Amino acid sequence: MTATLQTSAADTFRKAFRKSHTAAAYAPGRVEILGNHTDYNEGFVLSAAIDSGTYCLAARNGSGTCRLVAGNSMDQASFAADKPLPTPNHPWANYVIGVFAGLLPRAKATDGFDGLIVGDVPLGAGLSSSAALEISAGLALAQLYGLQPSALELARIGQRAEHEYVGVKCGLLDQISSIFGQPDHLVMTDFRSLDVTPVPLGKDAAFLMCRTHARHALVDGEYNARRKHCEEAAQHFAKVLAHPVLALRDVSWAEWEQHQGGMDPIAARRAAHPIGENERVLQGRECLAHGDLIAFGKLMYASHDSSRTYFENSCRELDAVVDAARGIPLILGARLSGGGFGGSAVALVHPRDVDPASRALQQGYARRISGPPCDIRPLRASAGARVLTIT
Ligand code: GLA
């Protein structure tokens, strides 16, 4: 995210609303490195904030109406400050309206605001442009209305906006990664305690982001269906295991193997994925602590296999990236990142191999998929969301 984008956003704000903004914030997208669909199962994830994100610029307008402009398309939306309801015509605006509604009970005044949203996280790429939008809006609006939600409250407000205004029953991974990202560190989150720990990446690890053009659309219900199966599976294990099971986090792989036969086969397959992923994240953290990138890469491949086989949230294009990666010795591991069903994969390489590995992966992908090429670029684990000083 460049300073230029921030400056041009200030100009666009002035042109759109004929005044200057008085509050601004930035929030990045995220990449999930290990731990797929574990967040809402109260498990573990290693993720990172990325170096693309969203700016939200805002100023109060003293009227009863909130006006929003999406700087990338110049689409405009508005809603009543005292009735922040979802709008069917401007899906992007619903994230902001939901965040405003989440903050509003704390606001003393209910006058409206003018807001501009502009960013460079590609949409539908599985890099969580939605969390970048929610968190940048949440931080800017909190500043505008003199509110001080804690980081976790802000994450929950973003999540609630997605549940209630967009219809995706997401976990907290995207919001937490966007808020807690640190340069050159992964974010290790325990989604039961919500403890967040930075994990140094070390000088030997670099990631490639591989964006397929398979459209990623969580709203289509597949995500919610997976979540429902996981919850059903947790209920089954709570009945058959002697210890308490509040979520799939409480079930080990050995217990899954022993007891999966007695349940609906689809729910059993779905449950295998977060259960295996939890164990892989804990192993992955150890591998990073010992600088064992080869073992970490193997866990990434195993994660993708589990997505493909058990969770069925991969697709032809994501499989093509990972299959191509397996044939390239410079690549240590690769897997789909985020919700799945399209979007992006992430690959692990040594920094010195970024260019040759990217080229080889691009060619390997093109040999498998005749369509738009896969966009591959190095990924920098980056700083998390922040309020911006107005100059
Ligand atoms: C999406 C959701 C997250 C998480 C991932 C899968 O990004 O928004 O909460 O469940 O999918 O790990």
Side-chain angles (χ1 to χ4, degrees):
M1 172 67 57
T2 57
T4 330
L5 187 50
Q6 189 180 347
T7 315
S8 73
D11 289 344
T12 311
F13 189 95
R14 264 193 300 278
K15 284 194 194 112
F17 299 114
R18 299 176 186 286
K19 63 182 175 202
S20 296
H21 65 285
T22 57
Y26 166 78
R30 66 95 191 90
V31 61
E32 175 199 282
I33 302 294
L34 204 54
N36 189 240
H37 288 258
T38 46
D39 60 346
Y40 56 81
N41 290 301
E42 300 188 17
F44 303 95
V45 186
L46 282 164
S47 62
I50 60 172
D51 52 2
S52 304
T54 299
Y55 283 104
C56 176
L57 277 54
R60 280 164 88 148
N61 63 21
S63 83
T65 303
C66 303
R67 302 185 296 171
L68 295 172
V69 171
N72 297 50
S73 60
M74 293 313 277
D75 189 30
Q76 300 181 17
S78 63
F79 62 97
D82 60 354
K83 232 182 182 184
L85 298 176
T87 155
N89 301 329
H90 310 280
W92 61 270
N94 287 329
Y95 296 94
V96 184
I97 304 174
V99 165
F100 180 80
L103 282 167
L104 192 67
R106 301 153 192 278
K108 292 192 183 63
T110 53
D111 63 314
F113 70 92
D114 296 329
L116 173 78
I117 306 297
V118 58
D120 62 357
V121 186
L123 303 182
L127 298 171
S128 208
S129 55
S130 48
L133 177 51
E134 291 149 23
I135 302 304
S136 63
L139 278 178
L141 294 180
Q143 191 195 24
L144 199 61
Y145 288 90
L147 306 167
Q148 288 173 330
S150 70
L152 285 178
E153 279 167 346
L154 190 63
R156 285 206 175 89
I157 287 172
Q159 181 193 36
R160 209 173 316 128
E162 230 159 300
H163 284 205
E164 292 171 12
Y165 282 70
V166 182
V168 181
K169 301 282 180 204
C170 63
L172 275 169
L173 165 68
D174 307 345
Q175 295 79 6
I176 285 193
S177 313
S178 177
I179 293 172
F180 288 96
Q182 285 194 21
D184 305 320
H185 285 71
L186 297 185
V187 178
M188 168 87 185
T189 311
D190 175 338
F191 283 94
R192 172 160 286 165
S193 65
L194 294 181
D195 280 343
V196 179
T197 320
V199 176
L201 260 177
K203 293 208 179 328
D204 265 356
F207 291 104
L208 301 177
M209 216 157 67
C210 317
R211 182 186 169 200
T212 73
H213 288 269
R215 191 78 180 159
H216 147 102
L218 292 185
V219 199
D220 67 10
E222 289 289 351
Y223 183 94
N224 293 350
R226 295 299 184 280
R227 181 167 183 160
K228 205 157 165 279
H229 273 131
C230 289
E231 285 162 2
E232 277 169 34
Q235 283 164 15
H236 165 79
F237 286 108
K239 283 192 207 120
V240 298
L241 293 177
H243 61 78
V245 175
L246 301 176
L248 289 180
R249 141 78 166 264
D250 300 311
V251 182
S252 69
W253 184 254
E255 288 167 338
W256 178 85
E257 283 187 313
Q258 196 184 341
H259 294 285
Q260 54 95 14
M263 62 194 293
D264 164 52
I266 295 197
R269 275 218 311 279
R270 301 298 182 247
H273 183 53
I275 293 172
E277 285 290 274
N278 271 336
E279 300 193 357
R280 281 186 283 276
V281 175
L282 296 176
Q283 290 164 21
R285 183 180 53 182
E286 290 308 303
C287 297
L288 288 178
H290 297 108
D292 190 349
L293 296 182
I294 302 222
F296 192 90
K298 286 186 182 150
L299 293 169
M300 291 176 75
Y301 282 132
S303 166
H304 189 82
D305 288 343
S306 169
S307 269
R308 198 172 188 165
T309 320
Y310 292 124
F311 218 61
E312 294 179 278
N313 65 332
S314 186
C315 65
R316 225 165 55 83
E317 292 82 352
L318 289 167
D319 290 344
V321 176
V322 176
D323 290 346
R326 281 186 207 273
I328 303 167
L330 297 180
I331 297 183
L332 306 176
R335 64 185 284 278
L336 71 81
S337 172
F341 311 106
S344 297
V346 59
L348 174 66
V349 294
H350 291 299
R352 60 176 182 270
D353 296 329
V354 161
D355 290 339
S358 302
R359 277 196 299 276
L361 193 50
Q362 186 112 51
Q363 286 159 6
Y365 183 82
R367 274 198 296 278
R368 288 167 172 83
I369 301 285
S370 62
C374 179
D375 297 333
I376 302 181
R377 71 171 180 94
L379 173 103
R380 210 59 233 261
S382 301
R386 53 200 173 265
V387 167
L388 301 168
T389 325
I390 313 280
T391 46

